[in-house]
Amino acid sequence: MGENNASAMSTESQLTRLGLFDAKVPRYTSYPTAPHFNASVDDGDFAGWIDQIEPGSQISLYIHVPFCRRLCWFCACRTQGTRSDSPVRAYLDTLKTEVAMLGRRLPSGVTLSRLHWGGGTPTLLAPDMMKELTETIFEAAPLHETGEFSVEIDPNEIDEARLDVLAAAGMNRASIGIQDFDPQIQSVIGRIQSYDVTRDAVDMIRSRGINSLNADILYGLPHQSNERIAESVQKLMSLSPDRVALYGYAHVPWMARRQSMIPAEALPTPEARLKLYETAKELFLWDGYREIGIDHFARPDDGLARALDAGTLRRNFQGYTDDTAPALIGLGASSISKFPQGYAQNLSGTSDYTARIRDGRFATGRGHVFTPEDNMRSRMIEQLMCEFRISTAEITETFGISKGELNRMFQDVADHFAGFVELTNDGLVIPEHGKPLTRMIARDFDAYDLSKAGHSSAI
Ligand code: SF4
């Protein structure tokens, strides 16, 4: 066995010893994580937090469309399958009412730094529905001149007419989900989407001047091998996305029942998952992408890469963002908003959500009010997830914790992850070989009881 193999083996066995392969750890797109939200936050808090938005400032807006034409087996999204447009139309009417309520409540002069439509499948809205929704949104708050309007596009569920409406409304970033291009893998995960269909969708998008493209791809799928993921990544790179999210497939059939259609025995082992990730990562780096946080890659001129260099990269419910707006408002069933004061999540069931909006009230069902300690831990975790380090100077200056107390926290974590965490004059750093442990290390800064939350594997 060569020296490199031997050292790879020993790193792998140490990662295993630290619990990498069997740990259930959050993805830390929020802190505290959503299972810790509770009913102490209601629509009155939500309205009060909107009132405190600075007049003339920019906010982010997320719009949720929880419908799909078919339900893919691998997908753990909370979404309803529907062949007919009537439930979608009814939902849209409620959503427009909610958007208009927000518009009436927002302080004057507020504009959107980001508008994102996600789901589900927002592109199953018919063209006239899309037009009504964009008009209602921009009446409530116009897109800022430097704002970004992005939509999750399902290549199986898009056409010229719908893209014409979106382009005319100012959409300037598209997000497409790919998973894997291998036909056997697609059939086993219950999601058929050929390379040709995907490429045609990308061509249609670009021909309308929508030049920014995000793509999601998955590792850890059944029957995935290093060769197969390499082929999928190469096909993906031929579409030249600006940003790629490389997510690990989380097999949690006890939470997402349709995943029980997927043969567990065909899933790669945790060690193989790590190799699949590394194989894909090497290809992206080789092609000139920058590594962004734990699972994203971006072209060097993309906003995420620039934000990483400027120290303004942030983490939110959509993964990584270069948006620095202080408030992200989520509308639609189950959507989560983040304000400087805390989180507010809408009721999840479409009928509960609809009933509340019809009642003339915002649909907040639960949330969390930040404590000063939450704010400090949240920023430490965000720094780890974005930059693989925590800056002593930033944390002591911003949150008033003493250097000695912070150093004691760092020392405990360094003892727990000996060899995978380094302490320097300016704080704590995760070196390259420790990066697969980032979520595990972040968990050491989490003050909440994680045993009640069903999180996904660390890798
Ligand atoms: S992958 Fe997309 S289309 Fe499939 S169920 Fe999930 S949200 Fe719906």
Side-chain angles (χ1 to χ4, degrees):
M1 182 185 287
E3 205 175 293
N4 286 344
N5 276 347
S7 88
M9 283 295 290
S10 84
T11 301
E12 195 173 278
S13 61
Q14 287 189 67
L15 292 172
T16 309
R17 179 180 60 76
L18 288 163
L20 176 67
F21 296 135
D22 52 13
K24 302 289 181 223
V25 275
R27 290 171 34 76
Y28 287 116
T29 54
S30 71
Y31 180 81
T33 54
H36 296 284
F37 294 178
N38 58 61
S40 68
V41 173
D42 61 17
D43 54 311
D45 297 301
F46 181 81
W49 292 344
I50 292 172
D51 294 345
Q52 289 176 57
I53 292 172
E54 193 69 30
S57 65
Q58 295 179 46
I59 61 167
S60 250
L61 183 61
Y62 171 76
I63 299 287
H64 191 62
V65 180
F67 294 97
C68 298
R69 287 290 177 227
R70 308 171 301 122
L71 297 180
C72 314
W73 302 336
F74 76 95
C75 177
C77 290
R78 200 191 149 94
T79 178
Q80 294 165 238
T82 176
R83 303 247 31 115
S84 114
D85 271 349
S86 57
V88 182
R89 163 60 66 188
Y91 180 81
L92 182 78
D93 288 343
T94 309
L95 190 54
K96 285 192 305 180
T97 305
E98 189 187 21
V99 172
M101 282 166 62
L102 172 70
R104 286 194 294 277
R105 191 97 201 183
L106 277 175
S108 64
V110 170
T111 55
L112 304 180
S113 63
R114 295 286 185 281
L115 168 62
H116 183 76
W117 292 8
T121 309
T123 50
L124 63 55
L125 297 179
D128 62 310
M129 297 186 202
M130 288 180 167
K131 191 158 184 290
E132 287 171 30
L133 184 56
T134 51
E135 285 170 358
T136 311
I137 291 170
F138 294 138
E139 206 168 299
L143 193 66
H144 188 267
E145 58 192 22
T146 58
E148 216 172 80
F149 174 15
S150 53
V151 178
E152 291 171 14
I153 306 258
D154 180 348
N156 287 318
E157 195 60 46
I158 191 69
D159 55 26
E160 308 268 357
R162 284 178 282 188
L163 275 174
D164 282 343
V165 174
L166 290 172
M171 172 186 158
N172 49 18
R173 183 177 283 281
S175 232
I176 52 171
I178 284 166
Q179 295 83 51
D180 192 297
F181 284 118
D182 186 276
Q184 186 199 5
I185 295 176
Q186 290 191 357
S187 114
V188 169
I189 64 172
R191 165 95 198 169
I192 305 297
Q193 179 187 321
S194 70
Y195 174 76
D196 289 348
V197 162
T198 308
R199 191 202 48 222
D200 289 350
V202 170
D203 289 347
M204 273 197 284
I205 291 165
R206 290 214 168 106
S207 71
R208 283 163 179 78
I210 302 163
N211 288 320
S212 300
L213 182 70
N214 297 7
D216 293 356
I217 185 165
L218 290 179
Y219 70 91
L221 292 171
H223 301 298
Q224 218 172 24
S225 61
N226 289 338
E227 293 70 30
R228 281 177 161 174
I229 200 167
E231 196 175 325
S232 280
V233 167
Q234 277 156 344
K235 282 184 172 161
L236 171 60
M237 289 190 307
S238 75
L239 303 174
S240 299
D242 306 83
R243 291 178 193 172
V244 178
L246 174 61
Y247 292 129
Y249 166 64
H251 191 64
V252 286
W254 56 93
M255 288 167 71
R257 279 188 49 214
R258 50 186 191 267
Q259 288 186 346
S260 53
M261 300 290 288
I262 293 180
E265 67 281 2
L267 292 169
T269 62
E271 291 79 0
R273 281 171 70 93
L274 184 58
K275 291 199 179 73
L276 289 167
Y277 179 83
E278 295 291 335
T279 301
K281 170 181 152 178
E282 291 307 318
L283 285 166
F284 288 124
L285 297 183
W286 174 83
D287 202 43
Y289 285 83
R290 297 270 311 273
E291 193 176 5
I292 308 289
I294 61 163
D295 51 16
H296 279 50
F297 298 86
R299 289 264 174 228
D301 57 351
D302 181 80
L304 286 189
R306 290 203 304 270
L308 179 64
D309 291 338
T312 52
L313 184 69
R314 295 289 178 266
R315 190 145 172 88
N316 70 6
F317 296 107
Q318 283 135 47
Y320 290 98
T321 179
D322 53 355
D323 179 35
T324 51
L328 162 64
I329 296 182
L331 300 185
S334 81
S335 279
I336 302 177
S337 301
K338 182 185 182 191
F339 294 88
Q341 299 87 346
Y343 293 113
Q345 181 170 23
N346 272 356
L347 295 163
S348 295
T350 311
S351 52
D352 293 342
Y353 159 76
T354 304
R356 184 72 84 75
I357 297 294
R358 282 214 185 118
D359 207 23
R361 293 167 56 196
F362 286 113
T364 311
R366 58 187 207 137
H368 178 88
V369 177
F370 295 137
T371 65
E373 185 179 341
D374 287 336
N375 288 328
M376 181 184 73
R377 289 180 180 273
S378 170
R379 180 63 190 139
M380 291 200 286
I381 288 172
E382 184 177 56
Q383 274 201 330
L384 279 180
M385 302 292 286
C386 292
E387 300 172 31
F388 303 102
R389 68 182 188 102
I390 302 175
S391 158
T392 300
E394 182 186 321
I395 300 300
T396 53
E397 279 161 28
T398 313
F399 302 103
I401 185 173
S402 74
K403 214 170 164 181
E405 201 180 332
L406 189 59
N407 282 343
R408 279 192 291 281
M409 284 173 89
F410 288 170
Q411 191 59 57
D412 286 348
V413 176
D415 291 345
H416 184 189
F417 291 98
F420 292 96
V421 159
E422 290 167 6
L423 300 185
T424 69
N425 282 342
D426 186 41
L428 179 147
V429 175
I430 303 177
E432 192 61 37
H433 65 273
K435 285 183 177 176
L437 287 172
T438 302
R439 287 162 61 191
M440 298 286 300
I441 295 166
R443 190 172 67 167
D444 269 20
F445 290 94
D446 187 335
Y448 290 86
D449 173 15
L450 294 179
S451 57
K452 67 176 183 177
H455 296 291
S456 58
S457 304
I459 192 78

